[in-house]
Structures are given as C-alpha cells and as structure tokens.
Amino acid sequence: MKTHDPGRRQALGCLSAWSGAAVVWTLSGGIPVALGATHTATPQAGAKGALTFVQISDTHIGFNKAANPDVVGSLRHAIADINALPVAPAFAVHTGDVSHLSRADEFGRAKEIFQELHVDRIHTVPGEHDAIDDGIAGYLKYFDHDGKGRGWYSFNQGGVHFVGLTNVLNFKAGTMAALGDDQLAWLKKDLAGVSHSTPIVVLAHIPLWTIWEPWGWGTADSDQALALLRPYGSVTVLNGHIHQVLQKVEGHVSLHTAMSLAYPLPTPGQEGIGEPGPVTVPAGELGKLLGTRQLNLVRGQRELAMVDRPLDR
C-alpha cells in the first residue's frame, strides 16, 4: 500500500545537505564488529580472513540547493575514502534515500557513481525519497537485487545471512511506516531455513525500533519482525533515515542508525520542532557537531565498547 501526499515532493525538495562518512564493518567468526568510519580517521584493519563491508546511507543524489550544490562530490569523497581502506571491503550496503526525488536521472546517476566503488557489488534498500509518486517502481528499475520486483530480498556470504527489508511503501510524514503482512510472511519463511547459530545482518531504511513516534521515526510493526529475529544468536540491524548515529541493544539483537551523506537532522524530540528538518550551523562549526563512532560488538555481551570521534577534533 502506498500513501500519496501531494505536497510531499515539494517538501522533500526543500531539504539541504552536507557530507558524512561511511561505516566500515567486519564479520570475524560470525561476530559483527564496526571498525570505525571513513573521513575522520583510518579505521583499524579487520581480522585476517574476516568478511568486511561498508555502510553508506542517505546520499540524496539530485539535491542541488545552496547548502550543498555538489552532493555527487560528497559521495565521491566518501567513495575515495572507502577505496583507500587498507583492506578492500567485499561489498557495500546503502540503507536508503539513494535519490532525492525518485527521478530516473537521479537513480541512474547514483548507480553510475556506485560503480566507482572498488567492491564486487552494492546492496541497497529504498528510503522514502526513493518512493515518491510511484512507490518504489522507479527505484526497482535500477536496484532490483533479486529480479523479483518486490524490494526485499536476502543473500548469504561468509557464513552470514543478510536480509534487505523495505519499510517505506506506506510512508507518510509524521506517521509510522510499516513492513506489512506480505513482507513479514516472507521474512518468516526466509528465516525458517536459517540455523539459529547463523549470524544475521538486516538492512532497512527507517529504524526498526521506535525512536520518536511523533516524527514517524520508527516502524509500526517492527515488534513482529524483531520477534522473528530474537531466536538467533547474533542479529545486527543497520538503518538510516534519521541521519545520526544511535544504538539500541536487546539481548542478541543490536540496532544501529547511520550518519547521512546528505544533511543532519535534529535530535529525537528536540524542543520546538514539530517536523524534523536540516540543522544549519556555521560552516566552521559543522565538523565539531558531526562525527563518527567506532563500535566493538561481541556476541553475548549487552554492552558496546564505543569511541566517538567528531569530524574536527
């Protein structure tokens, strides 16, 4: 189901942008570990033989406002950092909002630029900016990963089961989006053939936990999805959408939002903000307010070891 909002394209077109960073992940012995982020410092190397991949999010290709007239340059900066990593990642994941206004030229440009990444492939999931007017039909013309035209899929690599979900099909600003019954039924069937000892990594644009309901920062039926995932010994959920790094850990399930390659957003529930929009600060201050985080995730531990690094230290 898709909800059409006549003013949505105009509202989304007014958003401003800035440059962010890519998160570098590795899986060693099936345990996901965030090694750090590009842009701010050289991430530590992964263990020998580990499966390493990078996460980028919210590139908003097609944005051309004064706040960032060169979003392509911002993406290429991140790509250069990724390509300079001491060990080339096996692949990249993009957790949504590839485009700014769901236009064919934006999707085509993004796909062309992604080919500059020194990785075998890039796995994407759609964001709400990729689902304007026609739902995800336009997005799927460029990013249909399994050829089934549905926006959700799974694959296995390095002893890890990866699941890409779509939770923007019924997106409407200020309300909670959902996965829907069809996708939840597919997820249940997909996981039925996966051993409970197999590590799982889930990709979805909107967070799979409720961060701030009045802004729609959450997924209405995420509890049903997480109930299907809880029996597994190691589950890592990677999201975008809120353009800032937040984490939540529930047993063996750890959930992480990512920084954007487009624009920062307010902190959840920030006073005086009815609808979240770009946070504007003086150019010289931006790097002090934005940053990266290095995480070590160990199966069976509830606490995460974290090191936060602002862009300007």
Side-chain angles (χ1 to χ4, degrees):
M1 181 182 71
K2 177 174 71 69
T3 301
H4 177 65
D5 181 351
R8 189 167 158 225
R9 176 178 291 277
Q10 180 179 0
L12 293 175
C14 294
L15 297 175
S16 60
W18 66 278
S19 295
V23 181
V24 184
W25 291 85
T26 187
L27 290 103
S28 180
I31 300 173
V33 176
L35 299 180
T38 59
H39 262 349
T40 58
T42 300
Q44 64 190 30
K48 185 178 180 180
L51 173 64
T52 298
F53 65 100
V54 296
Q55 177 191 5
I56 61 175
S57 196
D58 298 88
T59 47
H60 292 268
I61 295 301
F63 178 81
N64 59 1
K65 303 296 183 181
N68 186 351
D70 187 15
V71 291
V72 167
S74 299
L75 174 56
R76 280 190 163 133
H77 192 166
I79 287 173
D81 290 337
I82 293 168
N83 290 342
L85 292 170
V87 177
F91 57 87
V93 300
H94 188 307
T95 45
D97 282 352
V98 173
S99 72
H100 193 60
L101 293 174
S102 299
R103 292 173 177 158
D105 60 325
E106 296 172 355
F107 290 129
R109 185 66 168 142
K111 189 167 185 176
E112 176 186 350
I113 297 167
F114 292 160
Q115 292 175 357
E116 298 173 13
L117 276 163
H118 295 170
V119 296
D120 289 342
R121 62 197 177 283
I122 181 167
H123 299 279
T124 69
V125 291
E128 79 278 8
H129 282 258
D130 303 320
I132 302 173
D133 296 338
D134 261 344
I136 61 171
Y139 162 89
L140 286 172
K141 290 179 181 178
Y142 294 87
F143 301 102
D144 187 355
H145 294 287
D146 63 3
K148 296 182 178 179
R150 60 190 177 188
W152 53 88
Y153 60 96
S154 65
F155 65 97
N156 297 295
Q157 185 158 344
V160 180
H161 187 65
F162 290 84
V163 179
L165 298 177
T166 297
N167 54 1
V168 297
L169 296 179
N170 63 343
F171 180 85
K172 185 177 181 180
T175 65
M176 297 276 279
L179 294 164
D181 292 342
D182 289 347
Q183 191 168 184
L184 287 168
W186 171 87
L187 179 61
K188 182 177 181 179
K189 184 177 180 180
D190 178 74
L191 293 175
V194 180
S195 167
H196 285 181
S197 63
T198 299
I200 295 176
V201 174
V202 178
L203 315 174
H205 181 61
I206 298 175
L208 290 188
W209 86 96
T210 301
I211 294 175
W212 189 248
E213 186 172 353
W215 292 352
W217 282 10
T219 302
D221 51 5
S222 61
D223 283 350
Q224 296 177 59
L226 293 176
L228 295 172
L229 292 163
R230 284 192 183 96
Y232 295 84
S234 174
V235 179
T236 302
V237 181
L238 304 179
N239 300 128
H241 189 58
I242 72 167
H243 298 205
Q244 56 200 282
V245 175
L246 293 176
Q247 292 101 24
K248 182 179 182 180
V249 179
E250 293 184 355
H252 295 158
V253 180
S254 59
L255 306 99
H256 307 264
T257 61
M259 286 172 47
S260 168
L261 283 170
Y263 53 87
L265 287 174
T267 57
Q270 188 170 325
E271 186 177 356
I273 297 176
E275 184 73 28
V279 175
T280 303
V281 299
E285 298 297 311
L286 185 59
K288 298 177 182 178
L289 299 176
L290 304 172
T292 61
R293 174 176 289 163
Q294 177 176 313
L295 304 94
N296 294 305
L297 290 80
V298 180
R299 189 181 344 203
Q301 291 187 3
R302 297 182 61 88
E303 298 297 326
L304 304 180
M306 304 181 187
V307 179
D308 290 300
R309 294 189 177 95
L311 296 182
D312 294 337
R313 301 193 293 279

